[in-house]
Amino acid sequence: MKIALVNVSGVPLGKHKVKDPRLDQADKLVKADKKTHALVDVVGEEEAQTADAIVASPEGRFDLIVKDLEFAETRLARNPPAAEAAVLDKVKACLEGEGVVAEAGLTPEELQLVEAHAFITAKPMVVAEAADVSAFDDFLIRVVSAAGYISFLTVGGMENRAWLTRKGATAQEAGGAIHTDIQKGFIRAEIISYDDFAAAGGETQAKHANKMRVETKTYVIQDHDLVNFRFKK
């Protein structure tokens, strides 16, 4: 996952840990050789177009709105097809009210009509105040969620680890976050919900309480599910 900073200073670029306390709790309940938080790539403004989410200062957010508004006005001046023009008018009205394209209420069909324009404020955006910058790694938990990502956990043995996947991902798709071989050879996923895991006091205890479920490839991963993948090697 890639997060672009816009007019945000004091945050080093590069890999950052998503320090979710639920992994910390899981690490206390299940013994493993090490604990590994999920990682995100934090990049500069020049990579904003390819980022999954934007973190901007209040001033940076306003600048991005202005850029998108200028583009919408330029495109409308060129008399685009009627369907596209109607969507651009909707986008323009939202931006003139200092809203972002992501909040314009566009339908999937409307988004498709203007997708080629790559409006930067169509991406998930979180405004960072000074307090957020000073505790940026903690702030990342909110950014990851706003970007449409969740975590799932694998525990025990060599490593207790959190992995990022998009909200709505199936078990088979989530397996690909670990390795493409898991996604391609997927057989089933053994699932324990995080709440059941925590309430039972650990993975073994949750299994003894019959809280482990066997799910197929179409199962939609829930935030912080404990997952054990079975796959053809």
Side-chain angles (χ1 to χ4, degrees), residues 69-157:
L69 179 58
E70 289 174 347
F71 182 89
E73 290 173 337
T74 299
R75 180 62 182 163
L76 281 165
R78 295 175 180 171
N79 297 315
E84 179 189 344
V87 180
L88 287 170
D89 280 332
K90 196 171 179 179
V91 166
K92 180 172 175 285
C94 178
L95 294 167
E96 286 176 336
E98 297 188 14
V100 295
V101 176
E103 300 169 353
L106 302 183
T107 66
E109 293 77 18
E110 289 173 328
L111 283 169
Q112 191 172 11
L113 286 169
V114 296
E115 184 178 17
H117 302 325
F119 287 112
I120 194 66
T121 68
K123 293 179 179 290
M125 187 185 306
V126 182
V127 174
E129 304 290 350
D132 299 318
V133 173
S134 63
F136 189 76
D137 284 349
D138 295 330
F139 174 64
L140 277 177
I141 296 173
R142 180 152 62 95
V143 178
V144 167
S145 179
Y149 282 77
I150 61 172
S151 296
F152 65 91
L153 307 179
T154 54
V155 300

Side-chain angles (χ1 to χ4, degrees), residues 186-227:
F186 183 93
I187 299 173
R188 65 181 183 273
E190 297 167 351
I191 306 289
I192 301 173
S193 76
Y194 183 82
D195 287 345
D196 287 341
F197 163 76
E203 182 185 27
T204 300
Q205 295 89 330
K207 289 178 179 178
H208 288 165
N210 295 319
K211 296 300 184 180
M212 189 184 79
R213 313 185 311 275
V214 176
E215 300 286 357
T216 66
K217 64 182 180 181
T218 59
Y219 170 75
V220 176
I221 294 291
Q222 301 301 303
D223 197 21
H224 285 82
D225 273 348
L226 269 72
V227 187

